[in-house]
Amino acid sequence: MMFLKVPFAEKEEAKALGARWNNERKSWYVPDGKPVEAFERWLPPGGADFVPAVAKPSLKSRPVMTDSYAGKPVIGRYYLELPHNCDPFEVCPECAPKLASSGWQGHYDDVAKMLKPLRPA
């Protein structure tokens, strides 16, 4: 995809020519396979900003949220890489000592205690 510098006043014209909006980059782009000649006036100075398609990270291996504005991984203060693929909300004899020593378990228990009065009976 090739990103464009389209002024707001010209967005409808770019859209009519086939440009598409990328919500993460907050920018208009030319879809792959579409001729770019019609979009030359909106190409950024110094040439086109070409970004190849990238595979999305697997959420099974590492639960990472993405900041939609910058595309940077966002990991909480208590994020902990576990030695195997287990659920931290279920008791695991292998991971329990690591969770307890890292502060994760204590923080989880504090949050659970705080939310307990909010649960329906």
Side-chain angles (χ1 to χ4, degrees):
M1 80 180 53
M2 191 171 301
F3 286 91
L4 305 168
K5 298 285 183 187
V6 179
F8 183 78
E10 299 173 13
K11 72 179 182 83
E12 291 302 322
E13 186 180 350
K15 186 177 178 180
L17 290 170
R20 297 288 175 253
W21 179 253
N22 181 303
N23 206 30
E24 284 196 18
R25 296 254 325 238
K26 306 291 187 218
S27 181
W28 288 95
Y29 69 94
V30 180
D32 292 334
K34 190 137 185 99
V36 295
E37 289 77 24
F39 304 97
E40 282 184 17
R41 68 179 178 178
W42 297 307
L43 291 176
D49 184 13
F50 176 74
V51 178
V54 180
K56 294 192 177 200
S58 169
L59 294 178
K60 286 186 177 183
S61 62
R62 184 174 176 185
V64 176
M65 295 181 297
T66 303
D67 179 338
S68 64
Y69 178 72
K72 297 176 185 172
V74 178
I75 298 174
R77 181 170 69 170
Y78 292 102
Y79 175 80
L80 186 62
E81 190 78 42
L82 297 174
H84 63 280
N85 195 15
C86 71
D87 183 357
F89 300 99
E90 298 291 326
V91 177
C92 170
E94 188 176 334
C95 296
K98 190 172 183 179
L99 290 171
S101 67
S102 71
W104 186 94
Q105 189 66 52
H107 182 69
Y108 175 76
D109 293 341
D110 291 344
V111 170
K113 194 183 310 177
M114 209 169 38
L115 295 175
K116 191 173 184 176
L118 302 175
R119 292 187 186 144

